[in-house]
């Protein structure tokens, strides 16, 4: 879906490297979804296969923006843990992208903690919806990713 890749690159430049690495994925790739939930001091993440209704990978980074955090994940039945010195969001997201790098996914989803009266169901985050989310970000400033 080249048009979706271009929108992602335009709206989310930091996803550029991940999208570029995934250009080798064929048109027949799985419709898996990388789901992220960035909180005030943690990031939870999963890659899910909505067709088979199964989780391919799950993990959580805790104690972000502290002296020492922890990143835990389960992939292919194996549990892993990494200690993080002075973890910040950008560094942890980069580590998450490395963990999920060998799993094909076509979509990225993010939980919005409070959509006000504007977002009552899932929505594609295009420029218009990002502007709407930004306008209501004060409802949950530590959680809404704008």
């Amino acid at each position: 879906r080249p048009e979706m890749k271009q929108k992602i690159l335009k709206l989310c430049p930091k996803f550029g490297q991940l999208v570029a690495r995934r250009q080798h994925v064929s048109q027949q790739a799985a419709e898996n979804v990388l789901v992220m939930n960035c909180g005030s001091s943690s990031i939870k993440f999963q890659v899910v296969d909505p067709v088979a209704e199964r989780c391919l990978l799950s993990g959580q980074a805790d104690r972000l923006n502290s002296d020492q955090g922890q990143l835990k994940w389960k992939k292919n039945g194996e549990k892993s843990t990494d200690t993080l010195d002075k973890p910040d969001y950008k560094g942890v997201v980069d580590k998450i992208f490395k963990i999920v790098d060998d799993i094909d996914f076509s979509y990225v989803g993010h939980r919005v903690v409070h959509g006000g009266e504007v977002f009552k169901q899932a929505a594609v985050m295009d420029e218009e919806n990002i502007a709407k989310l930004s306008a209501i970000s004060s409802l949950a400033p530590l959680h809404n990713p704008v």
Side-chain angles (χ1 to χ4, degrees):
R1 299 192 172 136
E3 67 280 353
M4 183 58 80
K5 288 179 185 177
Q6 290 306 313
K7 281 185 178 183
I8 290 171
L9 286 171
K10 184 177 178 186
L11 298 172
C12 306
K14 62 184 165 184
F15 288 129
Q17 288 181 331
L18 180 66
V19 171
R21 285 188 299 216
R22 295 194 173 280
Q23 286 181 348
H24 70 278
V25 177
S26 73
Q27 294 288 0
Q28 303 300 317
E31 297 291 310
N32 299 332
V33 181
L34 168 61
V35 182
M36 300 183 77
N37 180 358
C38 297
S40 58
S41 63
S42 68
I43 299 176
K44 298 176 183 93
F45 60 96
Q46 290 186 331
V47 177
V48 295
D49 177 344
V51 175
E53 296 183 359
R54 65 186 180 111
C55 178
L56 305 174
L57 172 142
S58 64
Q60 181 168 337
D62 291 308
R63 298 189 305 273
L64 275 63
N65 299 316
S66 69
D67 287 338
Q68 189 173 58
Q70 190 173 52
L71 176 61
K72 298 187 282 187
W73 68 97
K74 183 177 179 181
K75 181 178 182 180
N76 299 324
E78 293 184 33
K79 293 181 180 181
S80 300
T81 302
D82 193 5
T83 300
L84 307 170
D85 291 323
K86 299 187 188 294
D88 62 6
Y89 281 92
K90 183 185 179 329
V92 172
V93 168
D94 287 345
K95 286 183 180 283
I96 292 169
F97 285 165
K98 287 177 185 169
I99 292 168
V100 303
D101 188 53
D102 63 339
I103 299 177
D104 292 338
F105 60 89
S106 300
Y107 304 99
V108 177
H110 192 286
R111 179 177 176 263
V112 174
V113 73
H114 197 314
E117 292 297 314
V118 179
F119 297 103
K120 297 180 181 179
Q121 60 188 25
V124 173
M125 287 286 96
D126 56 17
E127 290 180 41
E128 179 182 349
N129 281 336
I130 288 175
K132 289 177 184 178
L133 184 60
S134 183
I136 62 170
S137 66
S138 63
L139 296 174
L142 296 177
H143 298 274
N144 285 347
V146 288

